[in-house]
Amino acid sequence: MKYPITVYGDTLLRKKAKNIEKDNPQIKEIIENMWETMYYSDGVGLAAPQVGLSIRLFVIDATANADEDPELADFKKVFINSEIIEITGEEWVMNEGCLSLPEIREDVTRKDEVRLKYFDENFVEHEEVFKGFAGRVIQHEHDHLEGKLFIDYLSPLRKRLLKSRLNAIATGKVRPHYRIKVPAK
Ligand code: NI
């Protein structure tokens, strides 16, 4: 089942998401639906708050980027109850987009490395360091669990320039190819 995508203006995207209990019987199905929604929407990653669920879960498939970075060849992962231990390394800029901000792409500066603790879909705990594109996408998706969006990193001027386009999203005046849930007024 494909979920509609929660977009900018929805208060749920600004909430801190809750931890998932180990024996939650619905998680398997939610993960399957999130993959289906993400592939259909052409996203590289998708966080649960983007499908209306305020829980600490995101999925990433970066395997399509293996051309540029061979380490991404098997990077298809589920992240449950992730916790950032530290973000380090050089700052670098990448043009980011987000399914919750249709038609907006902006350069975002982030540090290169993230050390993350998380559980996989079998509730096995991991602690790993992710760099480059993987580290970038993880930081972006993990931010969704904290109620943060990539536009929060932009300068006040860039944000001002985006204002009318953000209003258009919040009032349902955008038509991406995937289904969105128009925020309630
Ligand atoms: Ni996003």
Side-chain angles (χ1 to χ4, degrees):
M1 184 196 99
K2 285 189 278 288
Y3 296 115
I5 300 284
T6 305
V7 293
Y8 176 84
D10 198 310
T11 52
L12 198 133
L13 285 178
R14 292 311 198 174
K15 269 182 33 190
K16 195 175 153 80
K18 291 208 164 67
N19 268 329
I20 297 167
E21 306 257 340
K22 193 179 173 216
D23 341 294
N24 184 321
Q26 293 169 305
I27 286 304
K28 240 187 137 178
E29 197 186 332
I30 291 173
I31 291 168
E32 265 167 45
N33 291 340
M34 281 180 63
W35 284 128
E36 191 183 338
T37 306
M38 190 193 84
Y39 289 125
Y40 178 77
S41 318
D42 297 321
V44 175
L46 183 68
Q50 296 183 275
V51 296
L53 301 167
S54 196
I55 54 174
R56 299 186 79 81
L57 162 67
F58 60 86
V59 297
I60 296 175
D61 184 347
T63 54
N65 292 66
D67 291 350
E68 293 121 82
D69 181 353
E71 276 183 40
L72 297 174
D74 55 359
F75 196 99
K76 181 184 170 183
K77 284 180 195 289
V78 174
F79 297 84
I80 294 172
N81 297 347
S82 58
E83 246 178 83
I84 287 183
I85 298 174
E86 60 172 354
I87 300 175
T88 53
E90 296 266 307
E91 289 191 331
W92 63 290
V93 177
M94 197 181 106
N95 199 254
E96 292 190 20
C98 179
L99 295 175
S100 296
L101 292 156
E103 288 158 36
I104 291 182
R105 296 201 67 94
E106 290 288 329
D107 284 346
V108 178
T109 304
R110 294 185 195 266
K111 287 184 179 167
D112 188 46
E113 296 182 28
V114 56
R115 176 179 285 274
L116 193 80
K117 219 162 89 174
Y118 67 97
F119 294 84
D120 62 24
E121 64 271 46
N122 302 313
F123 263 90
V124 176
E125 197 175 2
H126 300 265
E127 187 178 322
E128 282 173 74
V129 175
F130 298 96
K131 302 176 188 182
F133 186 74
R136 164 77 54 168
V137 183
I138 285 171
Q139 289 180 59
H140 177 121
E141 298 309 331
H142 182 90
D143 273 352
H144 279 299
L145 311 182
E146 302 294 334
K148 246 171 140 176
L149 300 169
F150 79 79
I151 49 169
D152 301 346
Y153 295 99
L154 305 179
S155 70
L157 173 65
R158 282 306 308 166
K159 261 186 252 177
R160 229 169 20 248
L161 292 171
L162 284 176
K163 210 173 169 206
S164 64
R165 289 164 68 199
L166 290 173
N167 280 340
I169 296 171
T171 51
K173 293 191 186 86
V174 286
R175 290 278 173 273
H177 78 273
Y178 48 88
R179 195 154 61 96
I180 63 169
K181 178 179 166 274
V182 177
K185 290 222 178 80

